[in-house]
Amino acid sequence: MTDRPLTLMAVHAHPDDEATGTGGVLARYAAEGIRTVLVTCTDGGCGDGPGGVKPGEPGHDPAAVALMRRQELEASCDVLKISDLEMLDYADSGMVGWPSNDAPASFWQTPVEESAVRLAELMRHYRPDVVVTYDENGFYGHPDHIQAHRITMAALEMTALTPKVYWTTMPRSGMQRFGEIMREFHPDMPEPDPAEAAAMAEIGLPDDEITTWVDTTAFSGQKFDALAAHASQGENIFFLKMGKERFGELMGMETFVRVQDATGAALPENDLFAGLR
């Protein structure tokens, strides 16, 4: 036995990702006395600037945006009671196809092994019992999300650690409900073209392929407030338009696929720490 606390490490791409996909589990497990470690890989410099100015538009200063987003990230961590924040501070690569994808200092252009060595050092330091990141497609194809997945899996191979490992996902039933709510809030929203609709239909997983369903309803208010802390990106955070009550209805369950486990905990499970306590 050891006095070392049970530890959750979440590896995310940008400031605000911690709240969207894992804000509930981070808040819940912090409340249960588990150490929560957030690793944010990029500086978020491709986000909106003051007044909603977009990357590439006059007045958009990536360095100033990165500083602003760092402050917002720290505020989000306070809301979620995250124990430890680690930033790798790679340059935000932007959305797929943006010129920033090709910037030599961007996260997307940094060799996986180079970033994985740094992450492996953090893993050896914190010795997480559970590690959470994205699937191989970064959930929806964002270059930095894909890179976060790659360096996480590579870093795990570099260590002798055997944590439970999870990839974030969403049930297809939840994706359908999300689409209905978006149309409710935007009744004039045009129907997506067939290619876009087909791509959207591939996001997430069939409900019966999800291994882990964690009820975080009691912490949905914290999750909402953590998202709201990223005020500069409010135009891009659709969930904030719902209000807390509707947000809790839609976002009170966080779902994952378990891809590594040495505990033998039965599936499906409702706790990332099943078999560990």
Side-chain angles (χ1 to χ4, degrees):
M1 298 296 289
T2 176
D3 291 333
R4 184 182 64 83
L6 285 171
T7 300
L8 165 65
M9 175 180 282
V11 183
H12 280 293
H14 312 97
D16 76 27
D17 290 332
E18 80 290 339
T20 306
T22 56
V25 292
L26 287 166
R28 170 180 163 168
Y29 290 124
E32 293 178 6
I34 288 170
R35 186 177 198 178
T36 51
V37 180
L38 170 63
V39 180
T40 301
C41 296
T42 79
D43 61 9
C46 285
D48 287 359
V53 61
K54 306 296 182 185
E57 292 181 350
H60 187 278
D61 179 353
V65 171
L67 176 60
M68 175 176 62
R69 298 197 71 185
R70 169 66 183 250
Q71 294 167 343
E72 292 176 341
L73 177 60
E74 291 171 350
S76 172
C77 288
D78 286 343
V79 170
L80 298 174
K81 309 300 182 188
I82 290 172
S83 309
D84 300 271
L85 170 63
E86 299 283 354
M87 293 197 71
L88 300 185
D89 261 339
Y90 291 105
D92 189 341
S93 309
M95 299 295 285
V96 63
W98 287 12
S100 48
N101 295 174
D102 299 322
S106 71
F107 187 39
W108 183 240
Q109 291 297 325
T110 302
V112 168
E113 183 175 4
E114 178 182 323
S115 304
V117 166
R118 295 180 61 197
L119 181 57
E121 290 176 359
L122 293 174
M123 288 180 174
R124 294 187 190 101
H125 174 72
Y126 289 107
R127 302 186 67 80
D129 301 280
V130 171
V131 172
V132 175
T133 192
Y134 316 102
D135 63 19
E136 62 269 25
N137 190 46
F139 184 61
Y140 68 100
H142 193 296
D144 287 330
H145 289 229
I146 293 171
Q147 194 77 335
H149 162 85
R150 290 173 176 172
I151 75 163
T152 301
M153 303 313 291
L156 286 164
E157 290 185 4
M158 293 175 180
T159 73
L161 304 173
T162 57
K164 297 179 79 176
V165 180
Y166 294 89
W167 296 342
T168 58
T169 191
M170 184 174 283
R172 295 270 167 81
S173 61
M175 290 297 297
Q176 180 179 355
R177 179 65 179 141
F178 177 63
E180 292 168 357
I181 290 177
M182 284 195 69
R183 285 188 289 274
E184 176 186 329
F185 278 84
H186 300 284
D188 55 348
M189 184 173 66
E191 289 293 324
D193 63 51
E196 183 180 343
M200 286 293 293
E202 292 300 311
I203 294 177
L205 288 172
D207 292 31
D208 60 1
E209 292 182 21
I210 292 173
T211 65
T212 310
W213 303 70
V214 184
D215 185 353
T216 62
T217 305
F219 302 92
S220 60
Q222 274 177 268
K223 182 173 178 173
F224 184 93
D225 289 343
L227 274 171
H230 297 279
S232 69
Q233 308 307 304
E235 182 182 328
N236 302 318
I237 303 176
F238 166 79
F239 304 107
L240 295 176
K241 298 178 175 66
M242 299 179 186
K244 279 190 176 180
E245 184 175 348
R246 295 297 303 279
F247 179 84
E249 292 172 7
L250 182 67
M251 305 293 286
M253 183 74 70
E254 292 185 350
T255 50
F256 306 86
V257 174
R258 192 175 82 190
V259 295
Q260 178 175 303
D261 172 60
T263 70
L267 294 176
E269 59 188 1
N270 60 11
D271 179 9
L272 298 180
F273 287 85
L276 292 167
R277 55 180 178 172

